[in-house]
Amino acid sequence: MNPSQKILTKLGLKDPEPIQASATDNHNSRRSFLKRSALGGIALGGISALLPIEDIIAQTTQKVSRYSNPSDLKITDMRFCVVQNVGRTPIIRIDTNQGIYGLGEVRDGADERYALMLKSRILNQNPCNVEMLFKMIRQFGGHARQGGGVCAVEMALWDLCGKAYNVPVWQLLGGRYRDKVRIYADTPEAATFDEFKAKIKHRLEEQGMTWLKMDISIGEVKEQEGALVNSKFWGSNLAQWRGGYMDYANIKHPFTAIQITEKGLDGMAQIVHDVRSVVGYEVPIASDHYGHFDLNNAIRWGRKVEPYRLAWLEDMVPWEFTDQFKKMSDALETPVLTGEDIYLLNGFKPLIDAGAVDIVHPDLATAGGILETKRIGDYAEEKGVAMAMHFAGTPVSFMANVHCAAATQNFLALEHHSLDNPWWETLVKTTDGRKLFEKGYANVPLTTPGLGIELVEETIKQHLSPTNKTYFAPTPEWNDVRSHDRLWS
């Protein structure tokens, strides 16, 4: 008999019998979970000496939220659906023997199989052992989209752990520094300058954004005679994301032999001037997606736009060229930034230790998940480096980012790629009833457990990928371990 039961016996009361919840009953999973008794009902042992007898009786007879013993939780399944968001974005659900589940997200544009292959490694494990499970599976992640599976599982484990202990995820990370998380967003493209100004006004005045970002590429001046050198060799469109292995899209910046003339630099800088003239100087403007050209041209470009005091110059060269980032950082006054494709803290350390970046920019769905991204931020903070966060996914990953940002002191702003998507926010409902974000800031869930969201099944089903319409179907084919995974002998 535990202390709770002894006290209840003296009062002539007894615990209710625990209600067994089906692991597959996800429609009422949270309700079933709360019906199940916590440590034998209400844990009175630690508070009986501090409360009057009337309060103890009141607590045993009122409708309180009761949750299961976390040590009894076991993972029973992993399922998925693919939402047509930013191309395609898989959402995973990790189920347990107590009916509660956790939500995670494979990074936008990645394959759900990056997560599904991890199912066999975590089945029958306790999801509350988040760090141990992360160390078991992190070897199966990698840079860019290859980190998506590990990160999705890690997000879902924290969601489950928060629900098990009835606290928000940020509380499990050590507490929060802020109640709202600042958002940054791209400045929208427009056919005319007047239309552009109207869209900027919408961003600032109606959506309440306080931080913007713009894409400014050599593609903007490619039609100007004498703006670029050697660009036509690579084709007419200079596409940065589509192409074969030896096409422009997949040739790293130092190897294209493209140069920008003064005319080209002036043409690109004029666009920055026009944006700044509309936005003013109170709102930070970050920049990204310049095209593939070498370090020397990157420095020339950075110096050209220094009068406009941009918030940062993003991914001027591929992230793994630490020495080149160091040269850029030394040569320019504008902060340089990278990180959205880097997996784990170890990938960031060379850049941070060398003083090669002014700001780190992890994508939580690549970097290793919630705790690893916080560790990246904390390590950067010790070296005097700030952290912004890259994001382009569904509200599931968005809320994982919000919890991480709330718990990380040197955080600046979180990207939001779907401000103009009318159905994006309706994919989920918050468990505290507040909006996901409003007036340029995301709301941090202050009391609700886990990530603080539940999926809206009807809306999700309306926006499933046309190539995969399944909705959290069973995945028994991923149950069995077929390899020995230890990396050392």
Side-chain angles (χ1 to χ4, degrees):
M1 184 178 293
N2 63 35
S4 294
Q5 292 167 329
K6 289 179 182 178
I7 292 174
L8 290 173
T9 300
K10 289 180 182 180
L11 297 173
L13 304 170
K14 68 176 183 177
D15 282 346
E17 292 297 321
I19 298 174
Q20 300 297 325
S22 168
T24 59
D25 184 17
N26 286 301
H27 178 70
N28 293 309
S29 59
R30 181 64 183 159
R31 182 180 301 170
S32 300
F33 182 58
L34 291 172
K35 284 181 180 178
R36 201 169 152 162
S37 170
L39 299 174
I42 178 170
L44 296 173
I47 61 171
S48 59
L50 304 176
L51 294 179
I53 191 67
E54 293 85 2
D55 288 350
I56 296 175
I57 294 173
Q59 289 193 35
T60 61
T61 56
Q62 67 181 323
K63 291 183 178 180
V64 296
S65 295
R66 304 177 180 190
Y67 39 91
S68 258
N69 187 348
S71 64
D72 291 336
L73 271 175
K74 299 291 181 186
I75 294 171
T76 58
D77 205 356
M78 181 196 296
R79 303 185 181 192
F80 75 96
C81 68
V82 182
V83 179
Q84 196 174 7
N85 174 78
V86 198
R88 67 187 313 274
T89 305
I91 297 172
I92 67 163
R93 191 186 75 203
I94 294 179
D95 297 327
T96 68
N97 59 332
Q98 294 179 13
I100 61 167
Y101 60 85
L103 296 172
E105 176 179 313
V106 184
R107 185 173 170 181
D108 61 287
D111 194 320
E112 58 275 10
R113 289 171 290 188
Y114 283 135
L116 291 169
M117 67 168 288
L118 305 174
K119 177 183 176 181
S120 61
R121 275 85 180 174
I122 63 174
L123 275 179
N124 300 314
Q125 295 285 333
N126 187 324
C128 296
N129 295 324
V130 182
E131 187 172 35
M132 183 188 78
L133 295 181
F134 174 71
K135 289 181 177 179
M136 288 171 56
I137 64 175
R138 69 182 173 189
Q139 70 190 75
F140 300 105
H143 299 300
R145 267 67 185 175
Q146 294 177 48
V150 171
C151 298
V153 170
E154 200 261 8
M155 289 181 219
L157 294 177
W158 281 119
D159 190 26
L160 268 165
C161 190
K163 291 172 180 174
Y165 286 97
N166 203 32
V167 294
V169 169
W170 56 257
Q171 189 69 72
L172 299 169
L173 302 177
R176 72 182 191 274
Y177 289 95
R178 53 189 61 84
D179 295 344
K180 291 183 179 295
V181 168
R182 194 177 189 179
I183 295 172
Y184 79 82
D186 282 345
T187 53
E189 297 178 359
T192 67
F193 191 57
D194 286 341
E195 184 183 348
F196 169 78
K197 287 193 292 185
K199 289 188 174 184
I200 289 295
K201 183 177 180 181
H202 175 72
R203 277 277 191 267
L204 297 175
E205 297 181 9
E206 296 184 39
Q207 294 180 325
M209 301 305 299
T210 67
W211 193 308
L212 301 174
K213 188 167 83 170
M214 63 181 298
D215 294 349
I216 173 65
S217 167
I218 56 175
E220 304 285 353
V221 297
K222 69 179 186 295
E223 301 301 331
Q224 296 181 20
E225 189 65 32
L228 302 175
V229 177
N230 198 46
S231 64
K232 290 184 172 57
F233 171 81
W234 297 103
S236 59
N237 61 354
L238 299 181
Q240 294 190 56
W241 294 276
R242 294 184 182 90
Y245 186 72
M246 293 302 293
D247 290 337
Y248 171 85
N250 293 307
I251 300 298
K252 292 181 179 180
H253 301 49
F255 313 131
T256 65
I258 289 176
Q259 294 200 47
I260 315 172
T261 67
E262 283 302 308
K263 180 179 179 180
L265 290 175
D266 288 340
M268 294 169 68
Q270 183 63 43
I271 299 172
V272 178
H273 169 82
D274 292 343
V275 173
R276 182 56 89 186
S277 69
V278 175
V279 173
Y281 278 86
E282 184 59 34
V283 176
I285 302 175
S287 63
D288 191 12
H289 295 309
Y290 317 99
H292 299 182
F293 45 83
D294 65 16
L295 172 65
N296 296 321
N297 283 274
I299 292 174
R300 291 174 60 233
W301 163 244
R303 287 173 175 163
K304 178 66 72 172
V305 294
E306 279 186 345
Y308 305 108
R309 311 315 303 168
L310 294 175
W312 67 66
L313 299 166
E314 181 174 337
D315 292 326
M316 295 282 280
V317 296
W319 64 267
E320 63 264 43
F321 296 143
T322 301
D323 291 344
Q324 294 194 19
F325 268 98
K326 174 62 173 170
K327 291 176 181 177
M328 261 193 301
S329 180
D330 289 344
L332 300 175
E333 296 176 4
T334 303
V336 298
L337 165 153
T338 192
E340 69 181 75
D341 295 314
I342 302 178
Y343 182 59
L344 303 181
L345 172 58
N346 284 342
F348 282 87
K349 281 184 175 180
L351 289 158
I352 297 170
D353 291 344
V357 290
D358 302 287
I359 305 169
V360 292
H361 193 225
D363 187 305
L364 185 146
T366 280
I370 297 172
L371 180 58
E372 188 75 357
T373 302
K374 175 174 165 52
R375 292 178 67 221
I376 291 164
D378 290 345
Y379 187 85
E381 182 186 355
E382 291 180 4
K383 306 286 185 174
V385 174
M387 181 175 79
M389 298 173 73
H390 180 273
F391 163 75
T394 79
V396 175
S397 182
F398 180 78
M399 290 308 297
N401 277 272
V402 167
H403 283 271
C404 181
T408 309
Q409 186 170 10
N410 64 334
F411 164 81
L412 297 178
L414 167 65
E415 185 169 16
H416 193 339
H417 236 283
S418 302
L419 277 173
D420 301 319
N421 183 335
W423 51 263
W424 183 88
E425 193 171 1
T426 65
L427 293 171
V428 302
K429 60 181 179 182
T430 61
T431 49
D432 64 4
R434 296 190 299 164
K435 291 184 176 180
L436 285 177
F437 66 93
E438 50 191 337
K439 293 301 180 183
Y441 289 84
N443 290 314
V444 178
L446 301 181
T447 58
T448 54
L451 293 179
I453 53 171
E454 299 290 348
L455 299 180
V456 178
E457 180 175 337
E458 180 180 355
T459 308
I460 294 280
K461 287 182 175 179
Q462 291 172 0
H463 299 286
L464 293 173
S465 169
T467 60
N468 191 328
K469 292 288 189 179
T470 59
Y471 182 79
F472 296 114
T475 57
E477 66 273 22
W478 295 96
N479 286 3
D480 299 325
V481 178
R482 300 184 181 92
S483 67
H484 179 64
D485 297 332
R486 195 178 71 198
L487 297 179
W488 47 271
S489 296

